[in-house]
Amino acid sequence: MVVGDVTTGTELLIIGAGPGGYVAAIRAGQLGIDTTLVEKDAYGGTCLNHGCIPSKALISATDVAHDAREAEEMGIHADPAVDLAGMVDWKDDVVDQLTGGVEQLCKANDVNLVEGRAEFADENTVRVAHGGEGQGSESIEFEHAVVATGSRPVEVPNFEFDGEHVISSRDALALDSVPDSLVVVGAGYIGMELATVFAKLGTDVTVVEMLEGILPPYEDDVSKVVRDRAEEIGIDFFFGEAASDWEESGDGITVRTENEDGEVSEFGAEKALVAVGRAPVTDTLNLDAVGLETDEDGFLATDDRARTDVESVFAVGDVAGEPMLAHKGMKEGEVAAEVVAGEPSALDYQSVPAAVFTDPEVGTVGMTEDEAEEAGFSPVVGQMPMQASGRALTLGDTGGFTRVVADDDAGFILGAQVVAPEASELIAEFGLAIEMGATLEDVAATIHTHPTLGETVMEAVENAQGKAIHTLNR
Amino acid sequence: MVVGDVTTGTELLIIGAGPGGYVAAIRAGQLGIDTTLVEKDAYGGTCLNHGCIPSKALISATDVAHDAREAEEMGIHADPAVDLAGMVDWKDDVVDQLTGGVEQLCKANDVNLVEGRAEFADENTVRVAHGGEGQGSESIEFEHAVVATGSRPVEVPNFEFDGEHVISSRDALALDSVPDSLVVVGAGYIGMELATVFAKLGTDVTVVEMLEGILPPYEDDVSKVVRDRAEEIGIDFFFGEAASDWEESGDGITVRTENEDGEVSEFGAEKALVAVGRAPVTDTLNLDAVGLETDEDGFLATDDRARTDVESVFAVGDVAGEPMLAHKGMKEGEVAAEVVAGEPSALDYQSVPAAVFTDPEVGTVGMTEDEAEEAGFSPVVGQMPMQASGRALTLGDTGGFTRVVADDDAGFILGAQVVAPEASELIAEFGLAIEMGATLEDVAATIHTHPTLGETVMEAVENAQGKAIHTLNR
Amino acid sequence: DGSGSASSGRVFAAPSARRLARELDVDIGAVDGSGPGGRVSDTDVRAAAESDDDGDGASTADEPAPKPAVERVE
Ligand SMILES: Cc1cc2nc3c(=O)[nH]c(=O)nc-3n(C[C@H](O)[C@H](O)[C@H](O)COP(=O)(O)OP(=O)(O)OC[C@H]3O[C@@H](n4cnc5c(N)ncnc54)[C@H](O)[C@@H]3O)c2cc1C
Ligand SMILES: Cc1cc2nc3c(=O)[nH]c(=O)nc-3n(C[C@H](O)[C@H](O)[C@H](O)COP(=O)(O)OP(=O)(O)OC[C@H]3O[C@@H](n4cnc5c(N)ncnc54)[C@H](O)[C@@H]3O)c2cc1C
C-alpha cells in the first residue's frame, strides 16, 4: 500500500507495542483492519520486558527458594543456594518466549510491524525514525491512530538513574549479583514487590517512604498484613522520610532523607532503588501536530470509546491515565480497535481489578466500604480470615483475609479486598460477580470446591449475610 | 430437656460430624433449631481427619521440597531433606486446628455435642452407644434426623487392610517413614494424589489400574497432562491389571495382578496402597427401624430438599450419593438444615465443581463437550494452553490448559475443564458463571488481572468466540 | 426507575445486557430491571427498546450496530 516513495498508508496506525498497543493491533487485525504497529524498542513494552513479567518471574523464583528455606515446621530442611545470574537468565528466557509470542501473534493477525520511533507530523501522518544511525525514516499516513506509548519511571530530584548507585525497577530486574544492602525509595507496589524479592535473596533492605505507610492506595488493615510479613523477612521501614540526596561512600552510597520537621536521616547501602511512580510518555510524540494536548500530568483524556479529543486518535494504556495497569490498557486497546471497526464496544466495565505480588499477595476489585458509602450505597461487609481456611492451613500460609463489600439493600456485590496467598487469582470471581450484577445470595449459593482458597470468597459473602459456616458472624 | 431418665429429646438429630453433618448442625444452630450432633470418632469426619485436609497438607509440603529440588533452571540449587515424621506432625497440627475449630463453631452455634455411635431405635429415636467399655448408652428422641455417616474405603478381595503391608489412604497419610517402594492399586484421584506425594518423597511408585487410563472420569487430554507429569517424576503405570492377591516376600510384598486375558504379572514393593473407591456407611445404622432402605450400593436416595423417603429423615454427604465430595455434602447439609427450619431452600445448583490435587491440578465444573451434546446443546469449545500464559511461564509451570464449553446459540457457559497450576482455584469463576447463567460475552468483557492464571479463563472464552488475543483462534 | 440503578447512578446488568442496550440505543439507566434488586436483563432491555419504538421495534435488534459517534462530553 505504498502511497509515495517514502510514504505508506494504513487504516490504523498504532504507536507502541506494549499491552495497550499490541492488543489493539491484534484485535484490529482480527477485525480485518489494515493495521500498522510501530515500536521503537521491544514487543510487549514495559510490561513484558521490564515490568509485570520479569518482576513476577523473580518473585516466584525467589519464593521457591524462600519457601523451602522456611519449611522446617513442615519437616523440610533445605538451604537453597541462589545464583542470581542464573535466575535472571531464566527470567530473560521467559521474557523472550512471551515477546516472541507477541510478535508472532501480530504477524498471524496480519499486522504490519514497523521498527522505529514515531512522532506525529500532521493530522494524519506520523514520521517514523528507524533505529541506528543513517537508518533513515519513513512517513505513514493513517485514518485512525492509537497512542500507546506507555510510561517511564518518575525521577526524584537529585536521584537521576545511573544504573549503578541509583537504579530503577528496570535495572533492579536485571542485576547479576545480589546486593548486600539496598535502600528502596518508595513503598508503592513496585517498591514493595522488589523489596520483598531482594530481602528473600538475602539483601539487607531498608524502605524509606514519604507517606505514613506502605501501599498507600490500600486500606490500613490490608497493607498491615503485607507490612508485618515484610518485617518478618527483615525489611526495615522508615516512614515520613523524603529522599533528598545521596553521595558515594566506601563501596556504596549514603542516602539522605528529610522528615516533615526538616530532620535529616542517613541510610547507608550498596545501592538505592527509586520507585516512586510512573509518568506517561507523551512528550516525545509531537502531539501538537495532530492537534492534541495532554493534561498537566502528561495524560491524554479519553472518552468511553478510548477516543481522545481528536476524532481519529485514540489513546490506550498508561498514557490514558490511572489505573496504570497492563490489563486496563489491554481492555482499552480492544475497545479502540473495535470502535474503529464500527462495533458497539465501550469502556463500560464496572471495575478494574488490581493485584500486588507481595507476600502475601493483595488483590482488590471494585469499591471499598468507604467508597461504597461515598457512592451512596449502604454497604454491608463480610470477611473471612485465612486462619480459618483449611486450604490456607494446608499451604502453611494463613496471613490475611478475604473481604467483600455489598449493597445492603439489594445485596449487589460492589467490591472486594483480598490479602492472602493467590489473592491475585481470588479476585477474578469477585470481578465477574461485580460485572454480572451478582448478589451476595448468588455467590453464596454457588458451590465452591473444598479445600480451596476460593471457599473464603463464599465464606466472606455468607459472613456479610450473617450466615458464614466457618467463621463467627458478627 | 430430659424426657426420661436416659432419654433426651432434640428437634434435629444429626449422625456424623463430617462436612455434611457439621455444616448441617452449624446452620441449624444459626437458625435457632435445637440441634444435637452425634459423632463416634472425631469432629470433621473423613475430610478433616483422613481425607481432604491431610492429603492436601502432605501434597503442598512435598511440593515445597520438590519445587526447590527441581528449580535449577531458575538458578536455585537445593537438596532438601524431608523428615516424614516431622511433616506428619505438622499435618496433624493442621488437622487439630481445624477439628478444634469445628467443635468450637458447633458450640458457638449452640449445637449439643454427643460422643458415641448412633443407630436408629425406632421412627423417632436413636440409641447412642458411648465409646469405651461400660460407658453406657442413651436414647435421643428427634423430630428430624440427618444421616451424615459418610463413607469408608472399598476393599479389594484378598487385600484386607492390615495397616502394614496393605494400607488404605488413611494409613498412607500417617506413615512415619518414607517407603522405598509402593504399589498403588487404583489410579483414581485418591490413588493419583498419594502416588504423586510418595514419588516426590523419593518412593519408587508403581500404579496398577484395572481400566485403561488414570483418572477415569476425566477426558483423555486432561488426564494425559497429569499422566505425563507423573511419569516425569518417575511413576510407572500398568493398565488393564486387576489386583488379584499378594504375599509377603523378603522385607516387603509381591502383588499379583491379572489382565483381561488371564495373564498374571507380579510387582514387588514394600507396601501396597489400595485406593479403588469408597462405599457409603449405612449398614451400621439399623435403618430398618426408621423405615429406610438403601439402594444396592448402600446409598440413601434423596429428593431436591435432601430428604429421604421418610419425611422426617434427611441424608447428606457421601451417604446421599455421587459425587462423593466434601463441598457437595456441605451444600446438602445447609439445605437440610434450612428445610427443617421451613426455609425455601433446595439443591438447585447447576453443577458441583471437582478438583484433583495432582501435579498439575485438575479442576472441572459443569459439562464436557460430549455431555453438552448429549444434553441437546450445540456446544462450542474454547481453549487456552498454559504455554501461552505469562503467569504460567513466570511460575515455571506451563503444562495443561483451560477449556470452556458453551452453548453456541445463546453463548451460555455450560462447563469448564482446567488442568494447570491452581486449577482448583481457577474453576471458581466458571462455577459462578454457570450458576449465574453468564454468557461467553459476559466473561470476555470482565477485566482479568495481569499477569494471572485467571487470564486463561478469559482467553479460553474469547477463543470460543473466535477472538482470543494470546492464542490463535481455530 | 428501578433500584437496579442505585444512588450512584450505577446500573446493575450483565455486560451482555449493557452491550445490547448500546446496540439498541436504549438508556439502560432508565430501564426497569426485573431481576433481583432490579437487575436489568437483556430481556428488559429488549422490552424497553420495543416500547420506545414507533412500531418498527421488531427489527431493531437485527440492524447493524450504530457507528459510535460519541463525543467527549464535559
Ligand atoms: C516493575 C513493574 C512491575 C509492574 N507490574 C505490573 C503488574 O503486575 N500488573 C500490571 O497490570 N501492571 C504492572 N506494571 C505496569 C505495566 O507495566 C504498565 O501498566 C503497562 O506496561 C502499560 O502498558 P502500555 O501499553 O500503556 O505501555 P508500555 O508497556 O509502557 O509500552 C509502551 C511501548 O511504547 C513504545 N514507545 C514509546 N514511545 C514510542 C514512540 N514514540 N514510537 C514507537 N514506540 C514507542 C515503548 O518502547 C514501549 O514498548 C508494572 C510496571 C513495572 C515498571
Ligand atoms: C484421601 C482422601 C482425600 C479426599 N480429598 C478430597 C478433596 O480434596 N475434596 C473433596 O471434596 N473431598 C475429598 N475427599 C472426600 C471427602 O473426604 C468426603 O466426600 C467427605 O468427607 C464426606 O463427608 P461426609 O460428611 O459425608 O462424611 P465423612 O466425612 O465420612 O464423615 C462421617 C462421620 O460420621 C461418623 N459416623 C459414621 N457412623 C456413625 C455413627 N453410627 N454414629 C456416629 N457417628 C458416625 C464418622 O466417624 C465420621 O466422622 C477425600 C477423601 C479421601 C479418603
Side-chain angles (χ1 to χ4, degrees):
Chain A
M1 213 188 285
V2 177
V3 176
D5 266 13
V6 286
T7 304
T8 52
T10 193
E11 202 177 335
L12 177 63
L13 188 277
I14 299 169
I15 310 178
Y22 83 73
V23 168
I26 291 172
R27 176 55 47 85
Q30 288 170 345
L31 293 169
I33 298 170
D34 171 47
T35 305
T36 301
L37 176 62
V38 186
E39 168 58 52
K40 69 177 172 53
D41 288 338
Y43 296 107
T46 304
C47 181
L48 268 64
N49 294 283
H50 317 291
C52 330
I53 294 300
S55 60
K56 266 82 263 185
L58 293 192
I59 289 164
S60 44
T62 51
D63 274 347
V64 169
H66 180 78
D67 290 352
R69 192 178 289 118
E70 301 285 308
E72 296 219 344
E73 196 197 24
M74 290 178 168
I76 294 165
H77 307 274
D79 188 16
V82 175
D83 149 29
L84 185 58
M87 191 178 282
V88 167
D89 280 350
W90 167 76
K91 179 266 293 177
D92 288 342
D93 249 30
V94 166
V95 168
D96 288 347
Q97 283 183 60
L98 287 167
T99 55
V102 165
E103 191 174 344
Q104 275 170 34
L105 287 163
C106 286
K107 287 181 179 159
N109 286 291
D110 292 327
V111 175
N112 312 309
L113 296 174
V114 174
E115 287 173 27
R117 171 190 291 278
E119 60 173 48
F120 288 100
D122 62 37
E123 272 153 35
N124 53 359
T125 315
V126 293
R127 187 155 305 131
V128 181
H130 296 300
E133 299 262 318
Q135 295 268 351
S137 67
E138 69 180 302
S139 290
I140 307 178
E141 287 184 1
F142 61 82
E143 278 171 55
H144 306 274
V146 174
V147 178
T149 46
S151 63
R152 59 169 80 91
V154 168
E155 278 184 348
V156 173
N158 299 330
F159 285 81
E160 293 83 58
F161 297 117
D162 63 11
E164 171 68 26
H165 295 109
V166 178
I167 63 174
S168 66
S169 58
R170 175 175 176 161
D171 304 321
L173 293 168
L175 294 179
D176 52 15
S177 67
V178 179
D180 283 338
S181 52
L182 189 67
V183 169
V184 176
V185 178
Y189 83 94
I190 293 175
M192 284 306 302
E193 287 184 0
L194 291 171
T196 306
V197 164
F198 286 102
K200 287 182 176 176
L201 287 172
T203 301
D204 200 344
V205 177
T206 304
V207 176
V208 297
E209 163 64 51
M210 220 165 63
L211 303 175
E212 282 311 318
I214 69 163
L215 302 179
Y218 295 99
E219 293 161 294
D220 287 348
D221 59 349
V222 171
S223 49
K224 182 175 185 329
V225 176
V226 177
R227 179 173 160 189
D228 287 352
R229 185 75 58 93
E231 284 173 342
E232 270 169 38
I233 60 171
I235 299 177
D236 289 320
F237 290 99
F238 294 87
F239 297 110
E241 297 288 341
S244 49
D245 60 13
W246 67 276
E247 62 185 22
E248 284 189 50
S249 78
D251 278 353
I253 62 173
T254 299
V255 173
R256 260 185 298 275
T257 65
E258 228 182 279
N259 72 7
E260 235 186 6
D261 305 327
E263 285 158 5
V264 172
S265 304
E266 295 195 338
F267 302 93
E270 198 177 313
K271 293 171 192 300
L273 162 61
V274 178
V276 296
R278 298 180 60 86
V281 176
T282 43
D283 50 354
T284 52
L285 280 169
N286 196 25
L287 287 172
D288 263 6
V290 74
L292 273 176
E293 260 178 57
T294 68
D295 70 13
E296 57 187 13
D297 297 318
F299 292 110
L300 284 166
T302 49
D303 66 11
D304 71 347
R305 313 283 151 140
R307 186 175 261 141
T308 65
D309 293 342
V310 172
E311 174 90 22
S312 59
V313 181
F314 298 76
V316 305
D318 286 1
V319 293
E322 297 287 350
M324 292 166 82
L325 292 170
H327 42 285
K328 190 225 51 168
M330 294 186 192
K331 169 59 81 181
E332 290 168 341
E334 274 184 18
V335 167
E338 288 165 7
V339 169
V340 168
E343 299 211 346
S345 298
L347 298 168
D348 72 342
Y349 50 78
Q350 301 292 349
S351 62
V352 179
V356 183
F357 294 79
T358 40
D359 188 353
E361 293 181 359
V362 178
T364 58
V365 57
M367 301 180 192
T368 62
E369 184 176 9
D370 285 353
E371 286 164 352
E373 214 147 272
E374 275 159 37
F377 294 100
S378 26
V380 58
V381 170
Q383 197 157 315
M384 170 73 172
M386 287 297 141
Q387 188 58 50
S389 152
R391 184 58 174 144
L393 277 159
T394 64
L395 292 167
D397 193 354
T398 53
F401 54 82
T402 294
R403 175 159 65 216
V404 65
V405 177
D407 170 29
D408 203 15
D409 300 329
F412 290 124
I413 291 178
L414 302 172
Q417 297 84 43
V418 184
V419 51
E422 307 300 339
S424 63
E425 305 291 351
L426 296 179
I427 50 168
E429 185 186 356
F430 281 121
L432 181 65
I434 292 171
E435 294 300 331
M436 291 296 296
T439 62
L440 292 171
E441 182 182 356
D442 292 327
V443 176
T446 299
I447 301 184
H448 284 67
T449 315
H450 183 76
T452 59
L453 298 167
E455 287 175 294
T456 66
V457 168
M458 178 179 72
E459 294 277 349
V461 160
E462 289 185 317
N463 180 245
Q465 296 178 299
K467 54 176 219 185
I469 295 287
H470 291 93
T471 186
L472 290 176
N473 298 292
R474 292 168 299 186
Chain B
M1 215 185 287
V2 177
V3 177
D5 265 14
V6 285
T7 304
T8 53
T10 191
E11 201 176 335
L12 177 63
L13 187 279
I14 299 169
I15 310 176
Y22 83 71
V23 168
I26 292 173
R27 177 54 47 85
Q30 288 170 346
L31 293 169
I33 298 170
D34 171 46
T35 304
T36 301
L37 176 63
V38 187
E39 167 58 52
K40 67 177 175 52
D41 287 338
Y43 296 107
T46 304
C47 181
L48 268 62
N49 295 284
H50 315 291
C52 328
I53 294 300
S55 59
K56 268 83 261 185
L58 293 193
I59 289 165
S60 45
T62 50
D63 273 347
V64 169
H66 179 78
D67 291 352
R69 191 177 290 118
E70 300 286 307
E72 297 221 342
E73 196 197 27
M74 289 177 167
I76 294 165
H77 307 274
D79 188 16
V82 175
D83 150 28
L84 185 59
M87 193 179 280
V88 167
D89 280 350
W90 167 77
K91 179 267 292 176
D92 288 342
D93 249 29
V94 166
V95 168
D96 288 347
Q97 283 184 60
L98 287 167
T99 55
V102 164
E103 190 174 345
Q104 276 171 33
L105 286 163
C106 286
K107 287 182 177 158
N109 286 292
D110 293 326
V111 174
N112 311 310
L113 295 176
V114 174
E115 288 172 29
R117 172 190 292 275
E119 61 173 47
F120 287 100
D122 63 35
E123 273 155 34
N124 54 357
T125 316
V126 293
R127 187 155 306 129
V128 180
H130 296 301
E133 300 261 320
Q135 294 267 349
S137 67
E138 70 180 302
S139 291
I140 307 178
E141 287 185 359
F142 61 82
E143 281 171 52
H144 307 273
V146 173
V147 179
T149 45
S151 63
R152 59 170 80 92
V154 167
E155 277 183 348
V156 172
N158 300 330
F159 285 82
E160 292 84 55
F161 297 117
D162 63 11
E164 171 67 23
H165 295 111
V166 177
I167 63 173
S168 67
S169 57
R170 174 174 177 163
D171 304 322
L173 293 167
L175 294 179
D176 53 15
S177 67
V178 178
D180 282 337
S181 52
L182 190 66
V183 169
V184 177
V185 178
Y189 84 94
I190 294 176
M192 284 306 302
E193 287 183 1
L194 291 171
T196 306
V197 164
F198 285 102
K200 287 182 177 177
L201 286 173
T203 302
D204 201 345
V205 177
T206 304
V207 175
V208 296
E209 162 63 49
M210 218 165 62
L211 303 176
E212 282 310 318
I214 68 164
L215 303 177
Y218 294 100
E219 293 160 294
D220 287 348
D221 60 347
V222 171
S223 49
K224 182 176 187 328
V225 175
V226 177
R227 179 173 159 188
D228 287 350
R229 185 73 59 93
E231 284 174 342
E232 269 170 39
I233 61 173
I235 298 177
D236 289 320
F237 290 99
F238 294 87
F239 296 110
E241 298 288 340
S244 48
D245 60 13
W246 66 276
E247 63 185 23
E248 284 191 51
S249 80
D251 278 355
I253 62 174
T254 298
V255 173
R256 260 185 297 276
T257 65
E258 228 181 279
N259 71 7
E260 237 185 2
D261 305 326
E263 285 158 6
V264 172
S265 304
E266 295 196 338
F267 301 94
E270 198 177 314
K271 292 171 193 298
L273 162 61
V274 178
V276 296
R278 298 181 59 85
V281 176
T282 44
D283 49 353
T284 51
L285 279 167
N286 195 24
L287 286 173
D288 263 7
V290 74
L292 271 177
E293 261 179 56
T294 67
D295 70 14
E296 56 186 12
D297 297 319
F299 292 110
L300 284 166
T302 50
D303 66 11
D304 71 346
R305 313 283 151 138
R307 188 174 258 139
T308 64
D309 294 342
V310 173
E311 175 90 19
S312 59
V313 181
F314 298 76
V316 306
D318 286 0
V319 292
E322 296 286 350
M324 293 166 80
L325 292 170
H327 43 284
K328 189 225 52 167
M330 295 187 191
K331 170 58 80 179
E332 289 169 341
E334 275 185 18
V335 168
E338 288 165 7
V339 169
V340 168
E343 298 212 347
S345 297
L347 297 168
D348 69 343
Y349 50 77
Q350 302 293 339
S351 61
V352 179
V356 183
F357 294 78
T358 39
D359 187 353
E361 293 181 359
V362 178
T364 57
V365 57
M367 301 181 194
T368 62
E369 185 176 8
D370 285 351
E371 286 165 352
E373 215 147 89
E374 275 160 37
F377 295 99
S378 26
V380 57
V381 170
Q383 197 155 317
M384 170 74 173
M386 287 296 142
Q387 188 58 50
S389 151
R391 184 56 174 145
L393 276 158
T394 64
L395 292 167
D397 194 354
T398 53
F401 55 81
T402 294
R403 177 160 61 216
V404 65
V405 177
D407 170 29
D408 203 15
D409 300 331
F412 290 124
I413 291 177
L414 302 173
Q417 298 84 42
V418 184
V419 51
E422 308 299 340
S424 62
E425 305 291 352
L426 296 180
I427 50 168
E429 185 186 356
F430 281 120
L432 181 65
I434 292 171
E435 294 299 332
M436 290 295 296
T439 62
L440 291 171
E441 180 182 358
D442 293 328
V443 176
T446 299
I447 300 183
H448 284 68
T449 315
H450 183 76
T452 60
L453 298 167
E455 288 175 292
T456 67
V457 168
M458 178 179 73
E459 294 277 350
V461 160
E462 289 186 316
N463 180 244
Q465 298 178 298
K467 55 176 221 186
I469 294 289
H470 290 93
T471 187
L472 289 178
N473 297 291
R474 293 166 301 184
Chain C
D1 175 46
S3 57
S5 57
S7 2
S8 61
R10 179 166 155 188
V11 174
F12 292 92
S16 45
R18 285 182 257 145
R19 187 259 313 145
L20 185 69
R22 273 196 304 282
E23 223 167 2
L24 300 182
D25 211 8
V26 165
D27 172 10
I28 196 165
V31 175
D32 260 336
S34 62
R39 181 163 66 212
V40 179
S41 69
D42 53 351
T43 316
D44 298 331
V45 171
R46 273 183 219 283
E50 281 180 25
S51 65
D52 275 357
D53 268 9
D54 316 314
D56 63 341
S59 64
T60 333
D62 297 330
E63 280 168 18
K67 223 176 161 106
V70 172
E71 293 293 331
R72 189 183 164 75
V73 234
E74 224 165 327

